[in-house]
Amino acid sequence: LRWLGQLFAHAPWLSLDGAGSVSADLQVVEGKVAAGSRFSVPEVAVVAEVMGNRIKGLAHAEGNFTTNAKGELLPTVKILVEEFNIAANDNPGTPYVRGRDLRLDLEAGEDLAALGDSLRARLVFKNASLPDLRVYNRYLPNDHLHIDGGSGMLSGDLRLDAAGDIGAGWIRMTASKARMRMAGIAMRGDLGINTRLRRLDLAKRNFAVDGSSIRLDNISFSEPAGETRSGWWARINLPRARMDWDKPLAVEGNAQVTMKDVGFLLSLFSRQRDYPGWVFKLVDAGQAQVTGRVQWRGDTLVLDRVVAGNDRFDLMARMRLRGQQRTGSLYAKWGKLSVGLEMERPKNRFHLIRARQWYDSQPALLP
């Protein structure tokens, strides 16, 4: 069945191979394949390389030849991979995703000879198994975010070009009882990530991820000093953001967050025991709306222009995490009480007098 691959001579990311039976009905007019032709292959080996990942499995393939609005021949091939696995190109022997019923639809807009040049593809799969979330650590700067365990499910709907690169689409991941560490805080709970992709740079793996979102539910977390909390949740939306699909990932954009309370945000800056006693009353002050800017490049994570609060309190913050270094400032106000916090190793410095003036005098971390 290697002849099938010749249909995609200019699509080196896709190969079809093996031996088997073929059912075909070819219509030929003036020496050329004509509309109405079709073929069906009950079983063929498929390997597709997409964005550094190798998708592999046995599939059923069907091809049809119709005409478009201009009367030009339009070849289409539909491939259904009944069982598949996904592995990184640099580690093909260790699949990290296993699933069923992956669909790969291929279409050309001109004629059979130009199928590879004008190829458009759609890749769809649902609820594939992610047995071990730790596989994603290869994309993460481990100093700031590290996955310690858990399993999940992965779904996707992606539009590919003739080179096998993603043009647009979405990827969704859900996980229950995931274990991770963020900025020194151990977390456990349910995770949902919906990534919406639109490629910006044809030469680089640079995407707009506007409209992407993250859900955190049933979260428990422990500070380095031992204080623990449970039942925390957050909803994170990225109305405008950019992502570089590389190792490690790079993300930059604006965030809008609704969270159960500001307990996790306060814990990022200092231990509970170090704050003035009234500060953690903010945690009991209810749900908070948060906006801010985020930039994550290499080993550096920056949060800037963070504004949080409700009708009972106000909180503002900025933070830079670079390797083991932490710098930043925080301002909290509750009624007539206010405090500023300056992150300074080995011990943070608190500003209790003219706290707002001090905070406003600190430089922004992002342009």
Side-chain angles (χ1 to χ4, degrees), residues 28-311:
V28 180
V29 177
E30 296 181 349
K32 295 183 180 180
V33 175
S37 298
R38 63 172 182 82
F39 66 85
S40 175
V41 179
E43 186 174 279
V44 61
V46 175
V47 177
E49 297 186 4
V50 179
M51 301 295 285
N53 294 278
R54 182 172 298 178
I55 304 168
K56 186 176 181 181
L58 290 177
H60 170 79
E62 291 187 355
N64 290 279
F65 299 89
T66 58
T67 54
N68 59 21
K70 298 179 180 179
E72 299 168 324
L73 193 66
L74 180 67
T76 61
V77 179
K78 296 183 180 295
I79 300 172
L80 178 64
V81 189
E82 295 182 0
E83 293 188 17
F84 69 93
N85 63 64
I86 304 176
N89 275 351
D90 56 9
N91 191 18
T94 307
Y96 67 91
V97 176
R98 298 184 184 275
R100 296 184 59 85
D101 297 333
L102 178 145
R103 194 174 80 243
L104 180 59
D105 296 338
L106 304 116
E107 178 182 293
E110 297 179 5
D111 57 24
L112 180 59
L115 180 57
D117 295 322
S118 61
L119 182 68
R120 297 186 297 271
R122 182 183 181 188
L123 178 69
V124 180
F125 60 96
K126 296 181 180 179
N127 299 325
S129 173
L130 279 166
D132 190 347
L133 297 179
R134 291 178 297 177
V135 68
Y136 287 108
N137 284 328
R138 67 203 305 267
Y139 296 100
L140 304 177
N142 292 351
D143 288 336
H144 309 316
L145 181 60
H146 185 78
I147 299 173
D148 294 323
S151 60
M153 307 291 285
L154 190 69
S155 301
D157 188 339
L158 303 171
R159 305 283 180 167
L160 310 177
D161 62 16
D165 291 329
I166 297 172
W170 55 262
I171 299 174
R172 293 172 185 158
M173 190 269 280
T174 58
S176 60
K177 299 180 180 178
R179 302 189 306 278
M180 67 198 87
R181 283 177 281 124
M182 180 176 180
I185 298 177
M187 305 173 64
R188 181 185 180 96
D190 303 333
L191 177 66
I193 301 176
N194 181 13
T195 306
R196 303 179 68 88
L197 298 164
R198 179 173 57 85
R199 191 171 61 186
L200 297 175
D201 193 321
L202 295 178
K204 299 179 181 179
R205 296 178 175 182
N206 184 260
F207 292 89
V209 290
D210 302 350
S212 297
S213 61
I214 302 172
R215 293 174 60 96
L216 299 170
D217 287 299
N218 305 314
I219 299 294
S220 60
F221 60 88
S222 302
E223 298 178 2
E227 291 92 345
T228 61
R229 295 199 61 220
S230 60
W232 190 75
W233 57 263
R235 304 287 181 267
I236 304 169
N237 293 306
L238 302 174
R240 290 188 60 82
R242 300 293 179 266
M243 180 181 74
D244 291 330
W245 188 312
D246 212 335
K247 292 186 295 185
L249 290 172
V251 179
E252 181 174 357
N254 300 322
Q256 298 175 346
V257 187
T258 302
M259 57 179 65
K260 179 182 180 182
D261 54 54
V262 293
F264 183 79
L265 189 58
L266 291 172
S267 296
L268 284 177
F269 281 81
S270 189
R271 299 176 302 179
Q272 179 175 341
R273 67 177 68 169
D274 295 333
Y275 284 102
W278 62 266
V279 171
F280 263 76
K281 291 184 179 180
L282 303 183
V283 176
D284 299 323
Q287 182 174 308
Q289 301 295 321
V290 185
T291 60
R293 286 184 53 77
V294 59
Q295 184 186 85
W296 181 11
R297 292 180 179 173
D299 69 344
T300 302
L301 174 64
V302 180
L303 304 176
D304 198 18
R305 298 178 177 87
V306 176
V307 178
N310 56 28
D311 57 359

